[in-house]
Amino acid sequence: MMSRSNLFLCALLIVVATAAVHVADAFAPPIQTSRANHQVFRSSATENEEITTQIPRIPTYNKRATIEGPSIDSKPDYSSISGPMGGFIDSILMSLFRYKLSQRLYHQDNTIPTPDSKLPLTDFMGIIDLATRMNSQNFNRTTIQTMSQDVMVSLFPSFILDRYPTWFAQPFPAFSARMCAWATVVGGTWLMGECEVNDVPEIEGGGKSQGVLVKRCRFLEESQCASICVNSCKIPTQNFFNENMGLPLTMTPDYETGECQFAFGKLPTFEEERLAKDTPCLMRCPSNGGMRSWHNGSDQRATTDSKSEQWLEDLKALGELEELKISSCSLMED
């Protein structure tokens, strides 16, 4: 009989095979639309450095300090970093992620369906372009977190998500945590940069091989935005593993160094989440804190036509405001 670890490895190979099928579809040209509000933040970038101009800049009044972050001079060459399965598999996984992300953002139920980036499918900055527009076009941070979690769910065959909690996470929590740590390094190096499995001593039993240390996160480095990190990665990833995989996860980013510590099998505490939400903006944040200020944290959407129209007008006006001199972030405040 096939062991459970072999079953999980087969499932991972199925994900890779599925990715190869979707990649071909992803090369097809995006559907064009004439709706004016689709174009509010549509990127006209042809250079990677122009993408960050799509982030809204709005005036705020709550002054906070900023974090300098790791030196740009020591930025790794992420294009030369690949996961254990090699650069070819990484490119397939990146293309699959880009395809699923663009599908979710272009969904017609979205307030503003967002077309795919104009950047090549193999360009990592295309993902940053989409993540930036997802954050800049949605004023509700809960919506952003849900959309990001939806993308993660779509990456896995349903039979894995249906069975993993009862077959692995619940009966074998420590083994499941180690398996997920290994899979994160194998399948996520292209997204996060260099990373390694490590121990998490604070977990009961010593947490042997239940952690992943990301040495300098590529997603954070390229987005340069703590708000995008928290709402598009940290919180939705924790929710995905807890709710869809049945396995607790705590992610602890260090904005001074660019590191991020994954701890599988550990639920985040209220204090840890508060600290993550209270972190100051990065000094290099392209919106100077405007991204957080745009999000009001409300769980209620504007439902009337007048409110929606006013919101779209406000959204358009954001790009006309002058660049801020002081960072003040309220995106992650309740």
Side-chain angles (χ1 to χ4, degrees):
M1 180 178 293
M2 181 179 293
S3 67
R4 297 193 175 194
S5 59
N6 288 337
L7 178 62
F8 183 82
L9 180 58
C10 291
L12 180 62
L13 293 175
I14 291 174
V15 173
V16 174
T18 303
V21 175
H22 287 305
V23 167
D25 294 334
F27 277 103
I31 300 173
Q32 301 297 319
T33 176
S34 59
R35 291 177 61 184
N37 60 348
H38 291 190
Q39 308 298 324
V40 173
F41 278 95
R42 179 162 184 165
S43 173
S44 60
T46 57
E47 301 289 340
N48 289 348
E49 61 269 17
E50 293 180 13
I51 291 173
T52 53
T53 61
Q54 305 305 316
I55 299 179
R57 303 170 183 274
I58 60 181
T60 55
Y61 304 96
N62 180 24
K63 299 181 180 180
R64 293 188 183 181
T66 58
I67 294 178
E68 184 175 357
S71 171
I72 195 69
D73 295 332
S74 59
K75 178 180 177 180
D77 177 12
Y78 291 106
S79 63
S80 66
I81 301 173
S82 60
M85 293 193 294
F88 177 71
I89 298 299
D90 283 355
S91 65
I92 292 178
L93 294 174
M94 180 170 66
S95 298
L96 174 64
F97 186 88
R98 163 82 171 269
Y99 174 69
K100 293 295 187 179
L101 178 59
S102 64
Q103 272 194 324
R104 181 61 183 87
L105 297 188
Y106 198 68
H107 198 281
Q108 295 303 312
D109 289 342
N110 296 347
T111 305
I112 301 180
T114 304
D116 195 4
S117 173
K118 293 181 179 180
L119 294 173
L121 190 67
T122 55
D123 192 335
F124 183 83
M125 293 304 293
I127 292 174
I128 299 300
D129 183 14
L130 289 173
T132 297
R133 286 189 281 156
M134 176 175 66
N135 280 264
S136 64
Q137 292 174 0
N138 293 278
F139 65 94
N140 185 337
R141 67 172 179 266
T142 304
T143 299
I144 298 169
Q145 295 162 11
T146 300
M147 293 172 72
S148 299
Q149 186 176 351
D150 289 344
V151 174
M152 297 178 201
V153 169
S154 70
L155 291 170
F156 290 81
S158 59
F159 76 85
I160 293 181
L161 299 182
D162 291 341
R163 292 168 176 78
Y164 194 88
T166 54
W167 285 20
F168 293 97
Q170 295 171 10
F172 310 107
F175 171 74
S176 299
R178 289 192 290 270
M179 183 185 295
C180 286
W182 169 81
T184 297
V185 172
V186 171
T189 298
W190 67 268
L191 177 64
M192 304 179 297
E194 185 180 358
C195 53
E196 62 184 16
V197 173
N198 66 352
D199 299 338
V200 187
E202 62 266 30
I203 294 180
E204 183 179 356
K208 179 69 175 178
S209 300
Q210 290 184 218
V212 173
L213 176 64
V214 180
K215 297 185 178 181
R216 185 159 169 174
C217 182
R218 184 181 191 182
F219 185 74
L220 175 61
E221 182 88 48
E222 301 296 5
S223 67
Q224 303 180 47
C225 180
S227 296
I228 291 180
C229 166
V230 170
N231 291 292
S232 300
C233 184
K234 172 182 162 60
I235 292 179
T237 302
Q238 291 178 166
N239 291 343
F240 167 76
F241 276 97
N242 187 45
E243 297 170 8
N244 301 107
M245 301 288 281
L247 183 69
L249 168 66
T250 298
M251 294 171 62
T252 308
D254 185 332
Y255 296 105
E256 291 283 6
T257 64
E259 291 182 346
C260 185
Q261 176 66 56
F262 286 61
F264 291 97
K266 179 179 182 295
L267 277 172
T269 65
F270 173 81
E271 180 64 16
E272 288 170 333
E273 296 303 272
R274 186 189 67 78
L275 289 174
K277 293 178 180 180
D278 286 346
T279 186
C281 287
L282 295 176
M283 188 176 294
R284 295 192 298 270
C285 177
S287 73
N288 287 323
M291 182 71 80
R292 295 194 195 188
S293 302
W294 169 240
H295 298 75
N296 62 14
S298 171
D299 289 331
Q300 303 296 324
R301 290 185 179 181
T303 56
T304 65
D305 291 340
S306 60
K307 288 183 179 180
S308 298
E309 291 174 1
Q310 181 60 51
W311 174 62
L312 288 173
E313 290 300 318
D314 292 343
L315 191 60
K316 293 176 183 178
L318 290 175
E320 301 174 2
L321 297 174
E322 295 183 358
E323 183 170 345
L324 299 177
K325 299 301 182 182
I326 299 175
S327 172
S328 174
C329 297
S330 59
L331 166 57
M332 295 180 284
E333 294 179 354
D334 294 322

